[in-house]
Amino acid sequence: MVLVGVIAGVLVLQVRPAMQSYLAIRQRANLTSQADAALRRIVAEVHAAVPNSLRYTQDANNQCIEFVPTVDGGRFRIDYDYANQANPYGTPVPGGTSTSQFGVLTTLASAGGQKVARAGDFVVIGNVNRDDVYAGLAGAAGGVNVGQIGTIADSATAADQAVARHLITLAGPIAFPAGYEGGRFVVVAAGERAVTYTCDVKSGAVWRVTGYMPAATQANVCPTGSAKLVGKVSDCGFTYRENEGATQQSGYLQLRLGLTDGAETARLTLGTHVENVP
């Protein structure tokens, strides 16, 4: 029995550190996976946001970024169908001139047999100034590049399909910005007009806040909510530079996230360019 006890003691001294090391590695791997998934989720949403809509705020306790998410987009006609100007599907978006409908050249996305874009959602065109899209979505004065969708019609005849895939009719006429020749538009869901990600180290979480009415003027306090992107946060930071580089056509966003569980901590930093060309 004494010999068995000695052998057991020796085995414990040999095996225990190896087991502890294995458990620590697994714990760090789980934390790293959670942090990586959270950062990539934020970056993916930022990349799909309305160009020039990313806003950064820092208050006494937290840091946060806000942006306008999109659900779809495409290309619109930039000139009339002169072969048949009476065909509404050939209607372009005339910059600086009031319009209530336009033809869509690309096929809008569908899910479950229904279009992702629907009546009540918003069309954004040529967002160059950061706060313009927020003013338009909030219904404030100065919203010059946001129109609300009234109906979306599909081209049914060969003549219509030759000039456009869809016809978007707006709920009310709007004069989109003059001088924009990109021919692109994006669609913002009426139920999710803005998203804010807040670094809240005090509560140990990164919050995803949405479902609120955005303001034309950026808030100076970072909001929190009930939708937790990731927990166990011990370190977090956002940095955004709007005009990185000589062309000023892209910003640079850097995200830092540290997660702690017991004695183990995983810290990741992820940087990405933010496309600001409408």
Side-chain angles (χ1 to χ4, degrees), residues 37-162:
L39 293 178
R40 292 185 182 277
R41 166 72 181 272
I42 296 174
V43 167
E45 290 196 41
V46 168
H47 282 169
V50 173
N52 292 302
S53 69
L54 186 59
R55 307 197 290 196
Y56 169 83
T57 303
Q58 182 175 6
D59 58 27
N61 299 312
N62 303 321
Q63 297 179 358
C64 57
I65 55 173
E66 182 183 31
F67 54 87
V68 177
T70 65
V71 294
D72 201 2
R75 302 189 70 88
F76 56 80
R77 290 192 61 90
I78 60 176
D79 207 347
Y80 286 96
D81 174 27
Y82 290 101
N84 183 9
Q85 295 192 36
N87 186 349
Y89 284 86
T91 305
V93 174
T97 303
S98 181
T99 186
S100 59
Q101 61 182 9
F102 59 88
V104 179
L105 298 175
T106 52
T107 302
L108 296 174
S110 298
Q114 294 184 336
K115 289 184 180 62
V116 175
R118 58 193 63 189
D121 290 347
F122 296 90
V123 171
V124 181
I125 295 177
N127 187 60
V128 177
N129 299 312
R130 185 189 61 183
D131 293 334
D132 284 352
V133 63
Y134 290 97
L137 292 172
V144 296
N145 58 359
V146 178
Q148 190 167 25
I149 298 175
T151 61
I152 302 176
D154 299 333
S155 54
T157 67
D160 293 340
Q161 293 174 357

Side-chain angles (χ1 to χ4, degrees), residues 145-239:
N145 58 359
V146 178
Q148 190 167 25
I149 298 175
T151 61
I152 302 176
D154 299 333
S155 54
T157 67
D160 293 340
Q161 293 174 357
V163 294
R165 296 290 184 181
H166 312 280
L167 177 66
I168 291 181
T169 301
L170 303 176
I174 183 172
F176 290 104
Y180 175 63
E181 299 179 353
R184 292 182 293 270
F185 71 93
V186 293
V187 179
V188 178
E192 191 174 57
R193 305 186 190 189
V195 171
T196 296
Y197 279 104
T198 298
C199 273
D200 187 0
V201 177
K202 185 176 181 180
S203 299
V206 174
W207 303 101
R208 186 183 188 274
V209 185
T210 188
Y212 61 92
M213 179 66 71
T217 303
Q218 185 177 6
N220 54 14
V221 177
C222 292
T224 58
S226 58
K228 184 185 296 185
L229 176 67
V230 65
K232 302 177 183 178
V233 176
S234 58
D235 179 36
C236 185
F238 297 153
T239 303

